[in-house]
Amino acid sequence: MTTLRLISSMATKPLLADLVALYQKHNPDVHVLLESVGGVDAAKRVQAGEAFDGVVLAIDAIDRLLASGHVLTGSRVDLVLSGVAVAVPAGQALPDISTEAALKAAILAAPSLGYSTGPSGVQLAKQFEAWGITEQIKDRIVQAKPGVPVGALLAQGEVALGFQQLSEMRGVAGITVLGPLPEAVQITTTFSGSVATSSTQTEAMRALLAFWASPACQTLKEEHGMQAA
């Protein structure tokens, strides 16, 4: 029995749980242990030297780990493309977000706004700057702590309008997903996997990532609101 230990961000947790199950169905001699935490914390733990066989994070985080020598050069495999969705607490009025102008108006009208510490939050902040509304809304922004889904803030009534990867919004009780960001301002994050430098089973880890990038996993990715990379 081969055991592979992986760490990932929360954004891919539900998808990876299903991908692990699918891989183990085809490879019953491989046991995959997956831990999903906030992306910032995951990267810190890898950088601190904690032993993992594989890492799945946003592509920019993987590339930083490549540059610092914590994952193996040439081992990065791009797995999925994930877009950002907008949601409100269940039972609330549904603002129009169908165009860039409508989305901006909805943001300006919202009493509170929530987004994550992950790549989507960074890009949203840049979009607010581009629109010139950062000063107007800065006191209304609630940034979810690492590992805390924006959906939870919405469901608890802590924010009125929330933004996060569609994959993390799907199936959350107590919220209504309005839909994806308009195409003109959509934020797409690539999530990639790589073999950790600390891995003692690099070939087994490479085989796992290759399977996850294969057409056999495309349907699962779509079911989780993502596209194959």
Side-chain angles (χ1 to χ4, degrees):
M1 173 72 74
T2 298
T3 299
L4 296 174
R5 186 173 178 225
L6 279 74
I7 191 166
S8 81
S9 59
M10 297 298 290
T12 52
K13 179 181 180 180
L15 169 65
L16 290 182
D18 285 349
L19 289 178
V20 165
L22 183 61
Y23 188 73
Q24 291 181 157
K25 181 180 177 182
H26 289 273
N27 300 271
D29 57 331
V30 179
H31 182 51
V32 182
L33 296 173
L34 172 68
E35 184 178 0
S36 298
V37 298
V40 173
D41 291 336
K44 284 180 179 176
R45 286 172 60 181
V46 175
Q47 288 167 334
E50 192 169 339
F52 294 100
D53 293 294
V55 188
V56 178
L57 292 171
I59 192 169
D60 59 336
I62 289 291
D63 285 347
R64 285 194 292 271
L65 292 174
L66 278 166
S68 62
H70 290 92
V71 297
L72 296 179
T73 301
S75 70
R76 193 190 87 196
V77 176
D78 298 339
L79 298 172
V80 287
L81 304 174
S82 179
V84 171
V86 189
V88 295
Q92 297 299 304
L94 309 182
D96 180 14
I97 62 157
S98 60
T99 65
E100 181 178 351
L103 175 66
K104 181 180 175 182
I107 289 168
L108 288 171
S112 53
L113 303 155
Y115 59 79
S116 75
T117 55
S120 62
V122 173
Q123 292 302 315
L124 267 173
K126 290 180 180 177
Q127 185 60 58
F128 297 156
E129 287 280 358
W131 281 337
I133 63 172
T134 301
E135 284 300 311
Q136 283 175 265
I137 64 173
K138 66 179 183 181
D139 294 335
R140 291 185 262 150
I141 292 173
V142 179
Q143 196 166 27
K145 293 175 181 173
V148 176
V150 174
L153 300 182
L154 288 162
Q156 293 157 14
E158 292 181 39
V159 296
L161 193 67
F163 304 82
Q164 199 160 29
Q165 310 290 336
L166 174 60
S167 59
E168 293 185 81
M169 293 283 203
R170 288 163 71 99
V172 176
I175 74 171
T176 301
V177 178
L178 302 175
L181 290 176
E183 196 62 41
V185 292
Q186 178 57 275
I187 297 164
T188 302
T189 301
T190 301
F191 288 94
S192 307
S194 202
V195 181
T197 306
S198 56
S199 176
T200 57
Q201 301 174 99
T202 58
E203 290 312 307
M205 189 62 224
R206 287 180 192 274
L208 173 67
L209 290 175
F211 178 80
W212 283 354
S214 74
C217 298
Q218 184 169 338
T219 300
L220 261 184
K221 293 171 183 178
E222 291 171 356
E223 286 173 1
H224 282 272
M226 299 184 183
Q227 295 176 297

